[in-house]
Amino acid sequence: MAEQPPGAELARRLSEADLDSLTPLELFEYVRASQRLVTWAEHLKERAVAHYCSEQPARTSGPA
């Protein structure tokens, strides 16, 4: 997981991991990979919010 780029595949691998079977080093790498995934997801959210906030108000045509 250490080299896996953040995204859907990393999320799948993390969700399927058996934490009880990981060595201390593997568990540390799991935590680091989880943090990369969180950072990636936060970036996606920030991009979406910025896009939403930059949208022009919808204009209706004709009288209300």
Side-chain angles (χ1 to χ4, degrees), residues 20-46:
D20 292 330
S21 69
L22 299 179
T23 66
L25 180 58
E26 290 170 333
L27 190 55
F28 179 77
E29 291 298 327
Y30 178 96
V31 171
R32 289 184 64 207
S34 297
Q35 186 56 52
R36 282 197 325 275
L37 191 61
V38 167
T39 302
W40 174 78
E42 282 291 326
H43 178 71
L44 291 179
K45 182 181 79 174
E46 289 169 6

